[in-house]
Amino acid sequence: MTINQSVDLPDVADVLVIGAGASGSVAVKALAESGFSVVCLEQGDWTPPSVFAGDKPEWELVRQKQWHPNPNVRGNPSDYPVETSESDVNPLMYAGVGGSTLLYAAHWCRFLPSDFRVKTLDGIADDWPFTYEELQPFYERMDRDMGVAGLADNPAYPPGEAYPLPPLPIGKIGRKAAEGMDKLGWHWWPGANSIASRQFGHRPACLRYGACLTGCPAGAKASTDITHWPAALEAGARLVTGARVREVTVDAQGRASGAVYIDRNGSERQQKASVVILAANGIGTPRLLQMSTSNLFPDGLANSSGLVGRNLMMHPYGAVVGVYEDPLESWLGPAGQSIESMQFYETDTSRGFVRGAKWNVMPSGGPLGLRAGYGGRPVDESWGLNFHRNVKANLGRSFEWGIIAEDLPDESNRVVLDPELTDSDGLPAPKLLYTSSENTSRLIDFHVERAREAHEAAGAIRTSTTKLMRDCGWHLLGTARMGNDPATSVIDQWGRSHDVPNLYIIDGSTFVTSSGVNPTATIMAIALRSVEHLIANRRDQVVSATTTTV
């Protein structure tokens, strides 16, 4: 449904949040429950679970178009196109209430302590302005809010609170993968997932459709449209869907004063606010900042450092699929990680590269395969005679060791405004300039070879390898990085712009480095930390000259 609350919207909101996805949901809920007047603008819509295809016979077919995670393939009216002719990786995202949490696989992983200190430990990139220990309480709170299922005491991490739910069953694929890891003496642990392993509040236990990547029709997966938005709306937050933001406005003093947006009727509207928070992901946020030019900010809003849009990190992904003689029931869900490994996560310079990667075991899915929807494979590999051969040989007998390669920041990898391509409202589309580095290539080469060894140790009869999957850009990071120095960062450690004191950024664009793990838990923990700092310091918050104090 589209919520048109123009008659109910305040003339001036205490806080305007742009984006209703993972981080925006956290901010809106926390602010509304603390008594703030909050308006959220979301360009997408509500997506009811009844429209998800995972419990329908046509599921594997429609995931290749209507439910494809690449907006350029999916082409929904709420999507904007992304120019990728100069990018090694395609971006994957979803516009709507809950954002990409509707389509993510729900791997729930924290950064490791070393991820916040790569400059100190490895002499590369930069350290974060805070530590794992400072973020840990927020990680633990997000675990509870999202109803995470997992097993505590993973030796790869420091001690902490147990997860609120027991782990999902690792299944036959997890047990088979673990056999190989045990033979090699390598680390593995049951994967944590933000999927209910038993009833959790109003969420049922996972029904094991294996369709997590096209939305959970049962509602067992934790997407923020069901974990955060009901409470936020009950607390008084106002949500406007179908609202495509054109620019963040500023007053004569250069403070954020609200935003101009286009509704689904094509009408231009304005929402004023004392504080503005951007939560539009690592592509949408720099795009909006670059579109928000003015006499005071001719190079884009909050861009005195010149780093808005730069340092794009997208986690290049490698995979090794093993085929086994044993029936493994690898069509069963969840589609998230069965087990994970941090065996080769930390830097070992003798390998010829720095940093590392997290491994995760994932099921191969149904007849069209786990990657059919976004692997970019040629048609003749998936259809015709090869379809029947592949089904007979592989269905239920294979699984994937996936490799999430740490992506180091590089200023030449960036998001810019395309000079020609526009969205359906005539706004400039983002263009990605992204090249996977030589360090990443060496890293992936090493890891896929080790993953092949792990399959062989587990008894695989054959393996196939993908060293850089094009449709793998789920993780859009680094394009408005945080830091203590305004010359080398866009925001401070609390998400506040160095240039605009009442403008905050809380999505994945804030990342200093990418780590080698799925980032949603970290995005949401940082968002909670940032917004609670804003709430605690509300009396000292600078606001627009056209508004009152927060």
Side-chain angles (χ1 to χ4, degrees):
M1 59 181 174
T2 297
I3 300 178
N4 184 351
Q5 295 182 330
S6 58
V7 294
D8 298 321
L9 298 178
D11 290 336
V12 181
D14 291 336
V15 184
L16 173 64
V17 179
I18 300 172
S23 58
S25 303
V26 170
V28 171
K29 179 176 180 290
L31 289 162
E33 291 180 339
S34 297
F36 286 72
S37 165
V38 187
V39 174
C40 181
L41 302 178
E42 166 56 49
Q43 67 179 355
D45 213 327
W46 286 95
T47 308
S50 61
V51 306
F52 293 139
D55 58 349
K56 300 174 178 63
E58 65 272 20
W59 165 60
E60 284 202 301
L61 182 62
V62 299
R63 70 186 295 199
Q64 297 185 65
K65 174 60 179 176
Q66 295 98 314
W67 290 105
H68 200 291
N70 184 338
N72 289 341
V73 175
R74 188 175 59 241
N76 282 348
S78 58
D79 292 321
Y80 53 81
V82 183
E83 215 295 318
T84 60
S85 63
E86 297 182 53
S87 176
D88 289 345
V89 173
N90 288 330
L92 309 178
M93 53 187 171
Y94 186 77
V97 180
S100 295
T101 64
L102 271 70
L103 301 188
Y104 74 155
H107 298 203
W108 197 256
C109 316
R110 300 179 185 180
F111 273 30
L112 274 68
S114 64
D115 290 321
F116 297 90
R117 304 175 59 239
V118 296
K119 180 72 170 179
T120 297
L121 295 175
D122 298 322
I124 55 169
D126 287 300
D127 290 345
W128 286 60
F130 52 80
T131 64
Y132 176 92
E133 290 72 21
E134 290 175 84
L135 197 58
Q136 183 170 350
F138 300 96
Y139 274 133
E140 292 172 345
R141 288 171 59 190
M142 291 313 310
D143 291 347
R144 297 193 293 272
D145 288 350
M146 297 293 278
V148 175
L151 184 65
D153 301 322
N154 185 339
Y157 287 92
E161 286 186 6
Y163 293 108
L165 292 174
L168 291 152
I170 66 173
K172 291 183 179 181
I173 59 172
R175 292 196 296 273
K176 179 61 69 175
E179 288 177 15
M181 300 297 273
D182 286 345
K183 285 182 181 178
L184 295 168
W186 291 352
H187 166 268
W188 69 270
W189 199 254
N193 295 277
S194 52
I195 299 171
S197 55
R198 62 187 182 202
Q199 185 168 343
F200 186 79
H202 61 279
R203 286 162 53 201
C206 175
L207 298 181
R208 308 197 70 187
Y209 286 129
C212 311
L213 293 166
T214 53
C216 180
K221 186 177 75 169
S223 54
T224 59
D225 59 322
I226 61 177
T227 60
H228 284 69
W229 273 105
L233 294 172
E234 185 176 352
R238 291 169 170 85
L239 171 65
V240 183
T241 57
R244 179 167 278 151
V245 178
R246 179 170 64 80
E247 68 172 312
V248 175
T249 56
V250 295
D251 63 15
Q253 287 74 41
R255 299 171 184 171
S257 59
V260 174
Y261 67 96
I262 302 168
D263 68 19
R264 289 307 89 201
N265 296 319
S267 299
E268 192 172 277
R269 300 179 181 274
Q270 183 171 18
Q271 176 61 55
K272 296 180 180 179
S274 297
V275 172
V276 176
I277 297 178
L278 295 185
N281 82 34
I283 291 178
T285 285
R287 177 200 186 202
L288 182 53
L289 291 172
Q290 291 176 70
M291 288 195 296
S292 300
T293 57
S294 64
N295 290 334
L296 292 174
F297 299 100
D299 297 321
L301 193 59
N303 196 26
S304 65
S305 65
L307 293 176
V308 167
R310 293 188 179 272
N311 296 300
L312 174 64
M313 297 173 284
M314 299 178 75
H315 276 166
Y317 189 87
V320 181
V321 174
V323 179
Y324 294 76
E325 291 183 348
D326 303 330
L328 299 175
E329 298 179 339
S330 54
W331 54 76
L332 285 174
Q337 56 184 355
S338 174
I339 69 173
E340 66 180 14
S341 174
M342 303 295 188
Q343 179 67 33
F344 302 106
Y345 193 84
E346 306 292 355
T347 293
D348 180 344
T349 54
S350 68
R351 299 170 187 156
F353 56 87
V354 292
R355 305 305 296 157
K358 171 203 148 203
W359 296 12
N360 43 252
V361 163
M362 297 179 70
S364 54
L368 298 187
L370 176 68
R371 298 297 170 199
Y374 58 97
R377 299 188 308 195
V379 171
D380 57 1
E381 288 188 18
S382 298
W383 296 101
L385 184 60
N386 280 333
F387 174 81
H388 298 281
R389 288 174 176 167
N390 292 337
V391 168
K392 185 176 181 180
N394 301 333
L395 181 61
R397 299 176 184 273
S398 62
F399 65 84
E400 171 185 300
W401 268 120
I403 298 159
I404 298 176
E406 175 154 358
D407 198 4
L408 296 174
D410 183 336
E411 289 189 17
S412 64
N413 287 334
R414 57 188 301 205
V415 178
V416 298
L417 299 181
D418 191 85
E420 298 179 359
L421 186 65
T422 65
D423 64 24
S424 57
D425 290 304
L427 304 180
K431 178 177 182 176
L432 305 191
L433 306 173
Y434 178 86
T435 302
S436 181
S437 71
E438 179 62 30
N439 186 79
T440 297
S441 296
R442 291 195 295 266
L443 187 158
I444 291 180
D445 285 346
F446 172 86
H447 280 261
V448 297
E449 184 61 24
R450 303 289 82 72
R452 185 186 60 77
E453 292 175 17
H455 271 301
E456 291 176 349
I461 56 177
R462 62 180 179 277
T463 61
S464 61
T465 297
T466 303
K467 288 192 175 181
L468 178 58
M469 193 172 293
R470 183 162 178 81
D471 271 336
C472 71
W474 285 107
H475 308 153
L476 309 171
L477 310 170
T479 50
R481 64 186 303 192
M482 64 170 59
N484 296 322
D485 184 354
T488 58
S489 58
V490 177
I491 58 172
D492 67 15
Q493 65 167 308
W494 305 110
R496 182 173 49 211
S497 163
H498 294 304
D499 298 349
V500 184
N502 65 333
L503 174 68
Y504 288 75
I505 302 171
I506 60 170
D507 54 39
S509 63
T510 66
F511 279 32
V512 180
T513 53
S514 72
S515 83
V517 304
N518 310 69
T520 306
T522 302
I523 289 171
M524 295 180 75
I526 291 173
L528 183 60
R529 178 179 183 268
S530 296
V531 75
E532 290 199 344
H533 182 269
L534 169 61
I535 292 168
N537 294 275
R538 60 195 296 176
R539 297 188 184 280
D540 299 323
Q541 176 61 55
V542 175
V543 299
S544 170
T546 61
T547 66
T548 57
T549 56
V550 176

